[in-house]
Amino acid sequence: AGGVAPERVVTISNGIDIAGVRADAGLPAPEGLHVTGPLVGCVGRLVPVKGVEYFVRMAGTLGFQVPRARFVVAGSGPEESRLREIAYAHGLGDRLVFIGHISPAAPVLAACDVVVLPSLSEAMPIVALEAMALGRPVVGTTVGSLADVVVDGETGILVPPADPEALAAAVARLLRDQALAEAMGKAGSARAEEHFTLERMVRNHLDLYEELAAGR
């Protein structure tokens, strides 16, 4: 699209330290995350492009469909006050908690039954890779490289951006079908191990450098 010859473009996926993420998942859960019932989480900066507004609106809709569901938003940013107002307007009360910035995110992701990425724009989100490494099904939007990370119907579910009703339907499907959620989580974990390791990312960079150097 930018005028560069396609044969000159090489894509190297982000990689994560899967063993490190899984080790971090054993750390204590953040204060305020002690909830009962199925937990649906969103981790990211609280800025418009991350689409957290649609996660909160989804929670308002899903609260009626799956009354036992609870929700957590982990992150900080200029949108927090407005997001809290939206949550209040939807009558979410203590069913949705804002726990602020958390690092590492693994303890939050591990506590979730479903991880949601409601982004309006994305490159290749690390949160999705970490959630998959922890065996959590991902509900995401059809933007950026989310479709390269999440295999729709196999490791998670993809929906159009800015559509809280579609998010709610996808999350409700996973919460109501535990076998499906577990199968998607296992498939996501295997996909992360095969395609998105730190070692694979480094090796692909080195292979590219060696190929280019040989060509010169």
Side-chain angles (χ1 to χ4, degrees), residues 135-190:
R136 299 299 181 264
V138 175
V139 172
T141 50
T142 53
V143 299
S145 286
L146 262 170
D148 296 323
V149 175
V150 179
V151 180
D152 187 29
E154 183 178 326
T155 69
I157 301 174
L158 296 176
V159 302
D163 191 338
E165 288 76 19
L167 284 174
V171 173
R173 180 185 173 194
L174 291 171
L175 293 182
R176 290 169 175 164
D177 191 339
Q178 186 175 357
L180 176 65
E182 290 180 355
M184 286 186 171
K186 289 180 180 178
S189 179

mmCIF file of all heavy atoms in Angstrom, residues 135-190:
data_model
loop_
_atom_site.group_PDB
_atom_site.id
_atom_site.type_symbol
_atom_site.label_atom_id
_atom_site.label_comp_id
_atom_site.label_asym_id
_atom_site.label_seq_id
_atom_site.Cartn_x
_atom_site.Cartn_y
_atom_site.Cartn_z
ATOM 1 N N GLY A 135 -3.241 -20.379 28.305
ATOM 2 C CA GLY A 135 -4.382 -21.233 28.033
ATOM 3 C C GLY A 135 -5.723 -20.561 28.186
ATOM 4 O O GLY A 135 -6.722 -21.223 28.487
ATOM 5 N N ARG A 136 -5.763 -19.245 27.964
ATOM 6 C CA ARG A 136 -7.020 -18.524 28.090
ATOM 7 C C ARG A 136 -7.576 -18.199 26.699
ATOM 8 O O ARG A 136 -6.845 -17.674 25.853
ATOM 9 C CB ARG A 136 -6.824 -17.219 28.874
ATOM 10 C CG ARG A 136 -6.327 -17.434 30.299
ATOM 11 C CD ARG A 136 -7.327 -18.254 31.112
ATOM 12 N NE ARG A 136 -6.892 -18.459 32.481
ATOM 13 C CZ ARG A 136 -6.251 -19.541 32.913
ATOM 14 N NH1 ARG A 136 -5.945 -20.507 32.049
ATOM 15 N NH2 ARG A 136 -5.917 -19.660 34.181
ATOM 16 N N PRO A 137 -8.850 -18.474 26.454
ATOM 17 C CA PRO A 137 -9.436 -18.103 25.169
ATOM 18 C C PRO A 137 -9.511 -16.589 25.057
ATOM 19 O O PRO A 137 -9.741 -15.888 26.047
ATOM 20 C CB PRO A 137 -10.831 -18.723 25.219
ATOM 21 C CG PRO A 137 -11.149 -18.837 26.681
ATOM 22 C CD PRO A 137 -9.830 -19.102 27.361
ATOM 23 N N VAL A 138 -9.310 -16.078 23.856
ATOM 24 C CA VAL A 138 -9.269 -14.633 23.620
ATOM 25 C C VAL A 138 -10.441 -14.225 22.733
ATOM 26 O O VAL A 138 -10.683 -14.835 21.690
ATOM 27 C CB VAL A 138 -7.941 -14.225 22.951
ATOM 28 C CG1 VAL A 138 -7.956 -12.735 22.592
ATOM 29 C CG2 VAL A 138 -6.760 -14.551 23.860
ATOM 30 N N VAL A 139 -11.154 -13.193 23.160
ATOM 31 C CA VAL A 139 -12.141 -12.542 22.308
ATOM 32 C C VAL A 139 -11.531 -11.215 21.879
ATOM 33 O O VAL A 139 -11.181 -10.387 22.717
ATOM 34 C CB VAL A 139 -13.471 -12.308 23.042
ATOM 35 C CG1 VAL A 139 -14.414 -11.455 22.189
ATOM 36 C CG2 VAL A 139 -14.130 -13.639 23.375
ATOM 37 N N GLY A 140 -11.361 -11.032 20.581
ATOM 38 C CA GLY A 140 -10.710 -9.830 20.070
ATOM 39 C C GLY A 140 -11.486 -9.249 18.905
ATOM 40 O O GLY A 140 -12.536 -9.760 18.501
ATOM 41 N N THR A 141 -10.945 -8.162 18.385
ATOM 42 C CA THR A 141 -11.568 -7.482 17.248
ATOM 43 C C THR A 141 -10.764 -7.734 15.977
ATOM 44 O O THR A 141 -9.576 -8.063 16.023
ATOM 45 C CB THR A 141 -11.677 -5.975 17.513
ATOM 46 O OG1 THR A 141 -10.398 -5.478 17.937
ATOM 47 C CG2 THR A 141 -12.704 -5.679 18.592
ATOM 48 N N THR A 142 -11.409 -7.538 14.855
ATOM 49 C CA THR A 142 -10.780 -7.807 13.557
ATOM 50 C C THR A 142 -9.975 -6.591 13.104
ATOM 51 O O THR A 142 -10.269 -5.976 12.074
ATOM 52 C CB THR A 142 -11.855 -8.143 12.510
ATOM 53 O OG1 THR A 142 -12.850 -7.093 12.515
ATOM 54 C CG2 THR A 142 -12.519 -9.466 12.810
ATOM 55 N N VAL A 143 -8.955 -6.246 13.878
ATOM 56 C CA VAL A 143 -8.100 -5.111 13.538
ATOM 57 C C VAL A 143 -6.638 -5.541 13.621
ATOM 58 O O VAL A 143 -6.286 -6.460 14.366
ATOM 59 C CB VAL A 143 -8.350 -3.904 14.486
ATOM 60 C CG1 VAL A 143 -9.793 -3.430 14.388
ATOM 61 C CG2 VAL A 143 -7.986 -4.247 15.931
ATOM 62 N N GLY A 144 -5.788 -4.848 12.859
ATOM 63 C CA GLY A 144 -4.356 -5.080 12.932
ATOM 64 C C GLY A 144 -3.997 -6.546 12.782
ATOM 65 O O GLY A 144 -4.551 -7.272 11.957
ATOM 66 N N SER A 145 -3.064 -6.982 13.625
ATOM 67 C CA SER A 145 -2.597 -8.363 13.552
ATOM 68 C C SER A 145 -3.301 -9.289 14.528
ATOM 69 O O SER A 145 -2.847 -10.418 14.733
ATOM 70 C CB SER A 145 -1.084 -8.413 13.820
ATOM 71 O OG SER A 145 -0.372 -7.918 12.709
ATOM 72 N N LEU A 146 -4.404 -8.838 15.113
ATOM 73 C CA LEU A 146 -5.133 -9.744 15.999
ATOM 74 C C LEU A 146 -5.576 -11.005 15.259
ATOM 75 O O LEU A 146 -5.564 -12.101 15.819
ATOM 76 C CB LEU A 146 -6.345 -9.030 16.604
ATOM 77 C CG LEU A 146 -6.137 -8.461 18.014
ATOM 78 C CD1 LEU A 146 -7.308 -7.577 18.419
ATOM 79 C CD2 LEU A 146 -5.939 -9.581 19.022
ATOM 80 N N ALA A 147 -5.938 -10.840 13.983
ATOM 81 C CA ALA A 147 -6.349 -12.004 13.208
ATOM 82 C C ALA A 147 -5.174 -12.919 12.885
ATOM 83 O O ALA A 147 -5.371 -14.092 12.548
ATOM 84 C CB ALA A 147 -7.042 -11.568 11.916
ATOM 85 N N ASP A 148 -3.946 -12.410 12.966
ATOM 86 C CA ASP A 148 -2.762 -13.248 12.773
ATOM 87 C C ASP A 148 -2.422 -14.013 14.048
ATOM 88 O O ASP A 148 -1.766 -15.053 14.006
ATOM 89 C CB ASP A 148 -1.557 -12.387 12.373
ATOM 90 C CG ASP A 148 -1.764 -11.704 11.034
ATOM 91 O OD1 ASP A 148 -2.356 -12.327 10.138
ATOM 92 O OD2 ASP A 148 -1.345 -10.542 10.895
ATOM 93 N N VAL A 149 -2.858 -13.474 15.175
ATOM 94 C CA VAL A 149 -2.582 -14.095 16.468
ATOM 95 C C VAL A 149 -3.697 -15.057 16.861
ATOM 96 O O VAL A 149 -3.459 -16.228 17.162
ATOM 97 C CB VAL A 149 -2.403 -13.012 17.558
ATOM 98 C CG1 VAL A 149 -2.246 -13.658 18.934
ATOM 99 C CG2 VAL A 149 -1.201 -12.139 17.236
ATOM 100 N N VAL A 150 -4.917 -14.549 16.850
ATOM 101 C CA VAL A 150 -6.081 -15.339 17.263
ATOM 102 C C VAL A 150 -6.711 -15.984 16.031
ATOM 103 O O VAL A 150 -7.103 -15.293 15.091
ATOM 104 C CB VAL A 150 -7.120 -14.451 17.970
ATOM 105 C CG1 VAL A 150 -8.346 -15.266 18.367
ATOM 106 C CG2 VAL A 150 -6.508 -13.786 19.198
ATOM 107 N N VAL A 151 -6.805 -17.301 16.042
ATOM 108 C CA VAL A 151 -7.478 -18.018 14.953
ATOM 109 C C VAL A 151 -8.956 -18.106 15.311
ATOM 110 O O VAL A 151 -9.333 -18.802 16.257
ATOM 111 C CB VAL A 151 -6.884 -19.422 14.755
ATOM 112 C CG1 VAL A 151 -7.605 -20.138 13.613
ATOM 113 C CG2 VAL A 151 -5.391 -19.344 14.478
ATOM 114 N N ASP A 152 -9.771 -17.360 14.578
ATOM 115 C CA ASP A 152 -11.193 -17.272 14.882
ATOM 116 C C ASP A 152 -11.849 -18.649 14.874
ATOM 117 O O ASP A 152 -11.733 -19.395 13.911
ATOM 118 C CB ASP A 152 -11.867 -16.356 13.855
ATOM 119 C CG ASP A 152 -13.319 -16.063 14.200
ATOM 120 O OD1 ASP A 152 -13.664 -16.067 15.399
ATOM 121 O OD2 ASP A 152 -14.105 -15.809 13.269
ATOM 122 N N GLY A 153 -12.514 -18.976 15.973
ATOM 123 C CA GLY A 153 -13.180 -20.260 16.088
ATOM 124 C C GLY A 153 -12.290 -21.387 16.552
ATOM 125 O O GLY A 153 -12.776 -22.503 16.786
ATOM 126 N N GLU A 154 -10.990 -21.125 16.696
ATOM 127 C CA GLU A 154 -10.046 -22.172 17.100
ATOM 128 C C GLU A 154 -9.340 -21.826 18.409
ATOM 129 O O GLU A 154 -9.294 -22.644 19.333
ATOM 130 C CB GLU A 154 -9.010 -22.400 16.009
ATOM 131 C CG GLU A 154 -8.023 -23.516 16.318
ATOM 132 C CD GLU A 154 -7.038 -23.757 15.189
ATOM 133 O OE1 GLU A 154 -7.431 -23.603 14.014
ATOM 134 O OE2 GLU A 154 -5.874 -24.092 15.479
ATOM 135 N N THR A 155 -8.777 -20.629 18.489
ATOM 136 C CA THR A 155 -8.108 -20.214 19.733
ATOM 137 C C THR A 155 -8.864 -19.079 20.414
ATOM 138 O O THR A 155 -8.445 -18.605 21.462
ATOM 139 C CB THR A 155 -6.661 -19.753 19.459
ATOM 140 O OG1 THR A 155 -6.691 -18.523 18.719
ATOM 141 C CG2 THR A 155 -5.891 -20.786 18.678
ATOM 142 N N GLY A 156 -9.948 -18.651 19.794
ATOM 143 C CA GLY A 156 -10.736 -17.563 20.346
ATOM 144 C C GLY A 156 -11.796 -17.148 19.343
ATOM 145 O O GLY A 156 -12.075 -17.870 18.385
ATOM 146 N N ILE A 157 -12.360 -15.978 19.578
ATOM 147 C CA ILE A 157 -13.426 -15.473 18.709
ATOM 148 C C ILE A 157 -13.114 -14.027 18.344
ATOM 149 O O ILE A 157 -12.750 -13.226 19.218
ATOM 150 C CB ILE A 157 -14.796 -15.547 19.406
ATOM 151 C CG1 ILE A 157 -15.119 -16.996 19.812
ATOM 152 C CG2 ILE A 157 -15.894 -14.988 18.505
ATOM 153 C CD1 ILE A 157 -16.388 -17.137 20.633
ATOM 154 N N LEU A 158 -13.246 -13.696 17.067
ATOM 155 C CA LEU A 158 -13.031 -12.334 16.587
ATOM 156 C C LEU A 158 -14.357 -11.710 16.181
ATOM 157 O O LEU A 158 -15.198 -12.369 15.568
ATOM 158 C CB LEU A 158 -12.070 -12.327 15.400
ATOM 159 C CG LEU A 158 -10.638 -12.803 15.679
ATOM 160 C CD1 LEU A 158 -9.834 -12.839 14.387
ATOM 161 C CD2 LEU A 158 -9.949 -11.910 16.707
ATOM 162 N N VAL A 159 -14.529 -10.430 16.544
ATOM 163 C CA VAL A 159 -15.762 -9.705 16.228
ATOM 164 C C VAL A 159 -15.391 -8.338 15.661
ATOM 165 O O VAL A 159 -14.249 -7.884 15.802
ATOM 166 C CB VAL A 159 -16.645 -9.535 17.480
ATOM 167 C CG1 VAL A 159 -16.991 -10.888 18.087
ATOM 168 C CG2 VAL A 159 -15.956 -8.656 18.523
ATOM 169 N N PRO A 160 -16.337 -7.641 15.030
ATOM 170 C CA PRO A 160 -16.032 -6.302 14.524
ATOM 171 C C PRO A 160 -15.703 -5.345 15.671
ATOM 172 O O PRO A 160 -16.193 -5.518 16.794
ATOM 173 C CB PRO A 160 -17.336 -5.887 13.820
ATOM 174 C CG PRO A 160 -18.052 -7.172 13.556
ATOM 175 C CD PRO A 160 -17.692 -8.085 14.673
ATOM 176 N N PRO A 161 -14.874 -4.331 15.408
ATOM 177 C CA PRO A 161 -14.562 -3.353 16.448
ATOM 178 C C PRO A 161 -15.761 -2.467 16.771
ATOM 179 O O PRO A 161 -16.699 -2.355 15.973
ATOM 180 C CB PRO A 161 -13.421 -2.535 15.834
ATOM 181 C CG PRO A 161 -13.611 -2.694 14.358
ATOM 182 C CD PRO A 161 -14.165 -4.064 14.144
ATOM 183 N N ALA A 162 -15.738 -1.856 17.953
ATOM 184 C CA ALA A 162 -16.765 -0.905 18.398
ATOM 185 C C ALA A 162 -18.155 -1.526 18.402
ATOM 186 O O ALA A 162 -19.141 -0.860 18.089
ATOM 187 C CB ALA A 162 -16.733 0.352 17.534
ATOM 188 N N ASP A 163 -18.247 -2.798 18.785
ATOM 189 C CA ASP A 163 -19.524 -3.506 18.778
ATOM 190 C C ASP A 163 -19.694 -4.262 20.095
ATOM 191 O O ASP A 163 -19.379 -5.457 20.184
ATOM 192 C CB ASP A 163 -19.576 -4.465 17.592
ATOM 193 C CG ASP A 163 -20.960 -5.045 17.356
ATOM 194 O OD1 ASP A 163 -21.759 -5.061 18.305
ATOM 195 O OD2 ASP A 163 -21.235 -5.498 16.224
ATOM 196 N N PRO A 164 -20.180 -3.593 21.144
ATOM 197 C CA PRO A 164 -20.286 -4.248 22.455
ATOM 198 C C PRO A 164 -21.245 -5.434 22.448
ATOM 199 O O PRO A 164 -21.032 -6.405 23.203
ATOM 200 C CB PRO A 164 -20.780 -3.135 23.380
ATOM 201 C CG PRO A 164 -21.340 -2.087 22.485
ATOM 202 C CD PRO A 164 -20.578 -2.175 21.212
ATOM 203 N N GLU A 165 -22.278 -5.397 21.605
ATOM 204 C CA GLU A 165 -23.215 -6.519 21.546
ATOM 205 C C GLU A 165 -22.535 -7.771 20.994
ATOM 206 O O GLU A 165 -22.757 -8.880 21.487
ATOM 207 C CB GLU A 165 -24.436 -6.160 20.697
ATOM 208 C CG GLU A 165 -25.389 -5.182 21.342
ATOM 209 C CD GLU A 165 -24.874 -3.744 21.312
ATOM 210 O OE1 GLU A 165 -23.973 -3.459 20.482
ATOM 211 O OE2 GLU A 165 -25.348 -2.919 22.103
ATOM 212 N N ALA A 166 -21.685 -7.582 19.964
ATOM 213 C CA ALA A 166 -20.958 -8.727 19.414
ATOM 214 C C ALA A 166 -19.960 -9.268 20.426
ATOM 215 O O ALA A 166 -19.783 -10.491 20.550
ATOM 216 C CB ALA A 166 -20.241 -8.318 18.122
ATOM 217 N N LEU A 167 -19.306 -8.375 21.155
ATOM 218 C CA LEU A 167 -18.393 -8.816 22.219
ATOM 219 C C LEU A 167 -19.154 -9.633 23.257
ATOM 220 O O LEU A 167 -18.695 -10.693 23.702
ATOM 221 C CB LEU A 167 -17.740 -7.606 22.894
ATOM 222 C CG LEU A 167 -16.620 -6.882 22.152
ATOM 223 C CD1 LEU A 167 -16.223 -5.631 22.925
ATOM 224 C CD2 LEU A 167 -15.397 -7.783 21.971
ATOM 225 N N ALA A 168 -20.317 -9.128 23.664
ATOM 226 C CA ALA A 168 -21.114 -9.812 24.682
ATOM 227 C C ALA A 168 -21.529 -11.200 24.219
ATOM 228 O O ALA A 168 -21.469 -12.178 24.984
ATOM 229 C CB ALA A 168 -22.337 -8.974 25.048
ATOM 230 N N ALA A 169 -21.947 -11.309 22.960
ATOM 231 C CA ALA A 169 -22.372 -12.603 22.438
ATOM 232 C C ALA A 169 -21.215 -13.600 22.422
ATOM 233 O O ALA A 169 -21.383 -14.783 22.771
ATOM 234 C CB ALA A 169 -22.948 -12.435 21.031
ATOM 235 N N ALA A 170 -20.028 -13.129 22.029
ATOM 236 C CA ALA A 170 -18.859 -14.015 21.974
ATOM 237 C C ALA A 170 -18.444 -14.465 23.371
ATOM 238 O O ALA A 170 -18.170 -15.658 23.599
ATOM 239 C CB ALA A 170 -17.704 -13.297 21.286
ATOM 240 N N VAL A 171 -18.402 -13.526 24.309
ATOM 241 C CA VAL A 171 -18.002 -13.883 25.672
ATOM 242 C C VAL A 171 -19.039 -14.802 26.312
ATOM 243 O O VAL A 171 -18.694 -15.786 26.975
ATOM 244 C CB VAL A 171 -17.800 -12.612 26.525
ATOM 245 C CG1 VAL A 171 -17.550 -12.985 27.980
ATOM 246 C CG2 VAL A 171 -16.633 -11.790 25.980
ATOM 247 N N ALA A 172 -20.326 -14.498 26.107
ATOM 248 C CA ALA A 172 -21.382 -15.347 26.669
ATOM 249 C C ALA A 172 -21.268 -16.772 26.148
ATOM 250 O O ALA A 172 -21.458 -17.745 26.897
ATOM 251 C CB ALA A 172 -22.749 -14.763 26.329
ATOM 252 N N ARG A 173 -20.945 -16.902 24.865
ATOM 253 C CA ARG A 173 -20.791 -18.240 24.284
ATOM 254 C C ARG A 173 -19.710 -19.034 25.008
ATOM 255 O O ARG A 173 -19.893 -20.228 25.309
ATOM 256 C CB ARG A 173 -20.458 -18.113 22.804
ATOM 257 C CG ARG A 173 -20.274 -19.444 22.086
ATOM 258 C CD ARG A 173 -19.825 -19.218 20.648
ATOM 259 N NE ARG A 173 -19.476 -20.470 19.994
ATOM 260 C CZ ARG A 173 -18.813 -20.562 18.849
ATOM 261 N NH1 ARG A 173 -18.431 -19.443 18.222
ATOM 262 N NH2 ARG A 173 -18.523 -21.735 18.334
ATOM 263 N N LEU A 174 -18.602 -18.394 25.310
ATOM 264 C CA LEU A 174 -17.499 -19.086 25.980
ATOM 265 C C LEU A 174 -17.810 -19.373 27.440
ATOM 266 O O LEU A 174 -17.439 -20.428 27.968
ATOM 267 C CB LEU A 174 -16.221 -18.251 25.869
ATOM 268 C CG LEU A 174 -15.633 -18.141 24.455
ATOM 269 C CD1 LEU A 174 -14.501 -17.121 24.420
ATOM 270 C CD2 LEU A 174 -15.132 -19.496 23.974
ATOM 271 N N LEU A 175 -18.495 -18.457 28.108
ATOM 272 C CA LEU A 175 -18.824 -18.676 29.517
ATOM 273 C C LEU A 175 -19.858 -19.786 29.675
ATOM 274 O O LEU A 175 -19.863 -20.497 30.691
ATOM 275 C CB LEU A 175 -19.341 -17.387 30.146
ATOM 276 C CG LEU A 175 -18.323 -16.242 30.293
ATOM 277 C CD1 LEU A 175 -18.978 -15.049 30.984
ATOM 278 C CD2 LEU A 175 -17.089 -16.685 31.078
ATOM 279 N N ARG A 176 -20.713 -19.931 28.687
ATOM 280 C CA ARG A 176 -21.761 -20.956 28.774
ATOM 281 C C ARG A 176 -21.290 -22.321 28.303
ATOM 282 O O ARG A 176 -21.945 -23.334 28.579
ATOM 283 C CB ARG A 176 -22.967 -20.516 27.937
ATOM 284 C CG ARG A 176 -23.722 -19.340 28.544
ATOM 285 C CD ARG A 176 -24.725 -18.771 27.566
ATOM 286 N NE ARG A 176 -25.543 -17.716 28.172
ATOM 287 C CZ ARG A 176 -26.265 -16.852 27.480
ATOM 288 N NH1 ARG A 176 -26.271 -16.896 26.159
ATOM 289 N NH2 ARG A 176 -26.975 -15.937 28.107
ATOM 290 N N ASP A 177 -20.203 -22.363 27.570
ATOM 291 C CA ASP A 177 -19.694 -23.622 27.029
ATOM 292 C C ASP A 177 -18.259 -23.810 27.511
ATOM 293 O O ASP A 177 -17.298 -23.457 26.824
ATOM 294 C CB ASP A 177 -19.759 -23.592 25.495
ATOM 295 C CG ASP A 177 -19.490 -24.953 24.862
ATOM 296 O OD1 ASP A 177 -18.884 -25.813 25.535
ATOM 297 O OD2 ASP A 177 -19.871 -25.151 23.693
ATOM 298 N N GLN A 178 -18.127 -24.372 28.698
ATOM 299 C CA GLN A 178 -16.805 -24.516 29.301
ATOM 300 C C GLN A 178 -15.899 -25.411 28.469
ATOM 301 O O GLN A 178 -14.690 -25.161 28.358
ATOM 302 C CB GLN A 178 -16.927 -25.072 30.719
ATOM 303 C CG GLN A 178 -15.608 -25.128 31.462
ATOM 304 C CD GLN A 178 -15.771 -25.577 32.906
ATOM 305 O OE1 GLN A 178 -16.880 -25.803 33.374
ATOM 306 N NE2 GLN A 178 -14.658 -25.710 33.603
ATOM 307 N N ALA A 179 -16.475 -26.444 27.874
ATOM 308 C CA ALA A 179 -15.660 -27.349 27.047
ATOM 309 C C ALA A 179 -15.067 -26.601 25.861
ATOM 310 O O ALA A 179 -13.890 -26.795 25.511
ATOM 311 C CB ALA A 179 -16.500 -28.527 26.572
ATOM 312 N N LEU A 180 -15.854 -25.740 25.243
ATOM 313 C CA LEU A 180 -15.354 -24.948 24.121
ATOM 314 C C LEU A 180 -14.264 -23.997 24.576
ATOM 315 O O LEU A 180 -13.223 -23.867 23.911
ATOM 316 C CB LEU A 180 -16.505 -24.161 23.479
ATOM 317 C CG LEU A 180 -16.111 -23.201 22.349
ATOM 318 C CD1 LEU A 180 -15.568 -23.981 21.154
ATOM 319 C CD2 LEU A 180 -17.307 -22.345 21.940
ATOM 320 N N ALA A 181 -14.484 -23.337 25.708
ATOM 321 C CA ALA A 181 -13.489 -22.403 26.223
ATOM 322 C C ALA A 181 -12.175 -23.110 26.522
ATOM 323 O O ALA A 181 -11.092 -22.603 26.203
ATOM 324 C CB ALA A 181 -14.023 -21.709 27.469
ATOM 325 N N GLU A 182 -12.262 -24.286 27.122
ATOM 326 C CA GLU A 182 -11.050 -25.042 27.449
ATOM 327 C C GLU A 182 -10.339 -25.492 26.174
ATOM 328 O O GLU A 182 -9.099 -25.451 26.100
ATOM 329 C CB GLU A 182 -11.399 -26.236 28.332
ATOM 330 C CG GLU A 182 -11.819 -25.842 29.741
ATOM 331 C CD GLU A 182 -12.171 -27.053 30.597
ATOM 332 O OE1 GLU A 182 -12.177 -28.183 30.056
ATOM 333 O OE2 GLU A 182 -12.441 -26.851 31.795
ATOM 334 N N ALA A 183 -11.094 -25.928 25.184
ATOM 335 C CA ALA A 183 -10.482 -26.374 23.929
ATOM 336 C C ALA A 183 -9.777 -25.220 23.237
ATOM 337 O O ALA A 183 -8.653 -25.376 22.722
ATOM 338 C CB ALA A 183 -11.555 -26.975 23.020
ATOM 339 N N MET A 184 -10.406 -24.040 23.218
ATOM 340 C CA MET A 184 -9.775 -22.877 22.608
ATOM 341 C C MET A 184 -8.534 -22.463 23.387
ATOM 342 O O MET A 184 -7.526 -22.057 22.801
ATOM 343 C CB MET A 184 -10.771 -21.728 22.515
ATOM 344 C CG MET A 184 -11.827 -21.912 21.445
ATOM 345 S SD MET A 184 -12.875 -20.439 21.253
ATOM 346 C CE MET A 184 -13.801 -20.894 19.775
ATOM 347 N N GLY A 185 -8.613 -22.556 24.713
ATOM 348 C CA GLY A 185 -7.453 -22.215 25.528
ATOM 349 C C GLY A 185 -6.272 -23.124 25.246
ATOM 350 O O GLY A 185 -5.132 -22.663 25.109
ATOM 351 N N LYS A 186 -6.533 -24.413 25.139
ATOM 352 C CA LYS A 186 -5.459 -25.366 24.839
ATOM 353 C C LYS A 186 -4.886 -25.130 23.443
ATOM 354 O O LYS A 186 -3.664 -25.188 23.249
ATOM 355 C CB LYS A 186 -5.991 -26.795 24.957
ATOM 356 C CG LYS A 186 -6.281 -27.227 26.390
ATOM 357 C CD LYS A 186 -6.810 -28.657 26.432
ATOM 358 C CE LYS A 186 -7.095 -29.077 27.860
ATOM 359 N NZ LYS A 186 -7.659 -30.458 27.934
ATOM 360 N N ALA A 187 -5.752 -24.856 22.484
ATOM 361 C CA ALA A 187 -5.275 -24.590 21.123
ATOM 362 C C ALA A 187 -4.448 -23.314 21.080
ATOM 363 O O ALA A 187 -3.441 -23.232 20.367
ATOM 364 C CB ALA A 187 -6.470 -24.476 20.165
ATOM 365 N N GLY A 188 -4.853 -22.311 21.858
ATOM 366 C CA GLY A 188 -4.088 -21.067 21.924
ATOM 367 C C GLY A 188 -2.725 -21.264 22.535
ATOM 368 O O GLY A 188 -1.732 -20.689 22.075
ATOM 369 N N SER A 189 -2.676 -22.087 23.581
ATOM 370 C CA SER A 189 -1.395 -22.371 24.224
ATOM 371 C C SER A 189 -0.436 -23.059 23.253
ATOM 372 O O SER A 189 0.743 -22.700 23.151
ATOM 373 C CB SER A 189 -1.631 -23.254 25.457
ATOM 374 O OG SER A 189 -0.412 -23.564 26.089
ATOM 375 N N ALA A 190 -0.956 -24.031 22.513
ATOM 376 C CA ALA A 190 -0.121 -24.735 21.530
ATOM 377 C C ALA A 190 0.326 -23.791 20.413
ATOM 378 O O ALA A 190 1.481 -23.865 19.952
ATOM 379 C CB ALA A 190 -0.901 -25.914 20.942
#
